[in-house]
Amino acid sequence: MRVECSDCGAVADPLEICRCGGLPEFVLGDLRLDPVGLRRLVRERRASYEPLFASGVWRWRELLPPIPSDAIVSLAEGNVPLYDSAPGARYAGVDRLAYLHLGMNPTGSFKDLGMTVAISAAKASGARAVVCASTGNTASSMAAYAARAGLDAYAIVPRGRVSDAKLAQMREYGAQLIEVDGSFDDAFASLQHVRDAAVVNSINAYRIEGQKCAALAILEARGWSVPDWIVLPGGNLGNISAIAKGLREAFALGLIDRLPQLALIRAARGVQTTASAIAVGVPQSLRRASRALVRFNGIELAVDDDAILEAKAQIGREGIGCEPASAASLAGLRALRASGEIAPGADVVAILTGHILKDARVPSRLAALAPQGDKHAVA
Ligand code: F0G
């Protein structure tokens, strides 16, 4: 598998930003696999007792960068539910909605999918330490996987802007916390002063490879039927880049015969949003995310904090729950349905990126919710 700059196509190092400013990406190249055989292989691995295949990422090993088995650091990530949600569909005004709950990962967020690959690669390369800038989830995940790998971990976070639960995770897993004044963007800028540690932010091409498996998880859980839309929250825009890559590869391999549309939902208040996980001013993956939106006939929308907290209350009421940033996907879907951009008959998957306990102090806006569910229905 080769690595290319996703902007200019030059040969690239998986951990380095290209001279042109583009980000490195693995390329499957002319990998040919029988799609029926691949689906069967992955299903057999899911049912096997092989510890590595307890991971919903490493079951897709043929599509991942080659890493020796003895370097792989896994916490059995990627086994997450796709919850059908009739009440959520009613709330948003679409025919069919399901939540892929990536908050049900080992450290409570989608970051684990990418981190298992990035930390395994770091371990395989002989690195002693890893570092990231983070609004909290990337750093929690890095801390856990680095601890499993026996690597030192340095988490650079914006002071006063990371939830207590995420800080507690970083401490518990033994990471060194470096708090900087300012926002996530300032934390990211200070990465350049760090020496002798592998950066595991999503500019690291291994992260994207793991996170692309979320797209495969959606498709597999639906028996390879493609939804009309996949809606997800965006911050630094690594995740939409990864999901788009997973979908593109699934299409190229013949696992699916059409592509869904993508809706990217960001916080209107930018770095000031109460959805602190997506409080990012200048997303590192902006260019590749923009390309993904073009390729997938996608759409981008910013939603305000009130809409996010109302959607969060809705997801909570369903007995599912998520952290505020995740609820941006349902808030965005509702707004895109209201504006007519998404049709009422749409079959939608909304991605929930983080667990309800990640940021439990942010209050939901329960009062704003209309009564819902059959038992409340007025004839
Ligand atoms: N949802 C949650 C819960 C997140 O933590 C993040 C990003 C996103 C959505 C957006 O994903 O950045 O790939 O567009 N969190 C990063 C972090 C910034 O440091 O944990 P993205």
Side-chain angles (χ1 to χ4, degrees):
M1 234 184 245
R2 59 180 200 280
V3 184
E4 282 180 0
C5 169
S6 56
D7 280 1
C8 74
V11 175
D13 179 306
L15 267 51
E16 299 285 338
I17 297 177
C18 178
R19 260 178 301 169
C20 81
L23 300 179
E25 232 167 57
F26 283 90
V27 181
L28 274 188
D30 52 10
L31 179 71
R32 291 277 167 271
L33 292 168
D34 161 36
V36 177
L38 181 59
R39 288 179 186 176
R40 191 185 326 115
L41 177 65
V42 169
R43 209 172 41 233
E44 282 166 10
R45 284 174 174 172
R46 178 191 288 283
S48 83
Y49 293 109
E50 163 59 46
L52 185 60
F53 298 142
S55 165
V57 171
W58 295 103
R59 254 177 244 144
W60 293 102
R61 207 166 173 184
E62 285 70 17
L63 308 188
L64 299 175
I67 292 174
S69 294
D70 60 1
I72 291 178
V73 183
S74 170
L75 288 164
E77 56 288 319
N79 297 301
V80 299
L82 182 71
Y83 294 125
D84 260 320
S85 171
R90 270 200 297 280
Y91 175 78
V94 292
D95 266 8
R96 187 172 170 205
L97 175 65
Y99 303 118
L100 182 77
H101 205 329
L102 293 172
M104 301 301 187
N105 268 300
T107 77
S109 85
F110 71 100
K111 307 290 182 176
D112 296 341
L113 273 67
M115 205 54 73
T116 180
V117 184
I119 296 292
S120 300
K123 189 177 169 195
S125 75
R128 305 281 300 276
V130 288
V131 64
C132 72
S134 179
T135 57
N137 281 327
T138 302
S140 304
S141 182
M142 171 192 71
Y145 284 84
R148 292 283 289 177
L151 304 177
D152 291 336
Y154 299 90
I156 309 180
V157 299
R159 194 190 310 279
R161 296 180 188 224
V162 176
S163 80
D164 292 344
K166 295 172 190 176
L167 292 172
Q169 282 185 287
M170 292 172 218
R171 292 200 184 95
E172 190 94 4
Y173 298 135
Q176 302 276 335
L177 261 178
I178 302 162
E179 296 187 283
V180 300
D181 294 318
S183 68
F184 168 83
D185 304 79
D186 301 295
F188 194 89
S190 46
L191 276 174
Q192 64 188 352
H193 305 303
V194 178
R195 297 273 168 273
D196 302 325
V199 174
V200 295
N201 279 97
S202 51
I203 57 171
N204 178 321
Y206 292 99
R207 279 274 311 280
I208 300 297
E209 292 306 294
Q211 282 174 217
K212 78 183 181 187
C213 296
L216 300 168
I218 291 173
L219 298 169
E220 197 191 7
R222 290 172 51 100
W224 301 97
S225 122
V226 180
D228 298 320
W229 286 89
I230 296 177
V231 186
L232 73 162
N236 213 14
L237 306 186
N239 207 29
I240 184 162
S241 309
I243 302 263
K245 188 171 194 284
L247 292 168
R248 269 195 338 262
E249 291 178 0
F251 184 76
L253 289 166
L255 290 167
I256 50 174
D257 58 7
R258 70 182 185 100
L259 292 172
Q261 289 181 264
L262 295 180
L264 173 68
I265 316 299
R266 301 188 61 200
R269 294 190 68 218
V271 292
Q272 301 303 332
T273 177
T274 42
S276 61
I278 51 172
V280 175
V282 185
Q284 295 300 314
S285 290
L286 184 60
R287 277 189 276 175
R288 63 182 171 187
S290 307
R291 274 197 300 274
L293 287 179
V294 171
R295 278 197 193 128
F296 285 80
N297 198 9
I299 198 161
E300 183 185 351
L301 181 76
V303 289
D304 63 30
D305 284 7
D306 285 349
I308 292 175
L309 296 183
E310 188 189 296
K312 175 168 142 60
Q314 168 62 36
I315 297 164
R317 277 287 177 87
E318 295 176 38
I320 292 173
C322 64
E323 72 167 287
S326 307
S329 55
L330 181 61
L333 170 61
R334 188 176 205 227
L336 290 169
R337 174 69 275 287
S339 68
E341 237 109 15
I342 292 186
D347 172 1
V348 182
V349 172
I351 296 186
L352 303 180
T353 45
H355 195 275
I356 186 173
L357 295 176
K358 279 282 194 174
D359 204 352
R361 285 217 298 214
V362 175
S364 292
R365 296 190 62 237
L366 278 176
L369 273 191
Q372 46 112 352
D374 292 340
K375 65 179 184 243
H376 300 296
V378 180

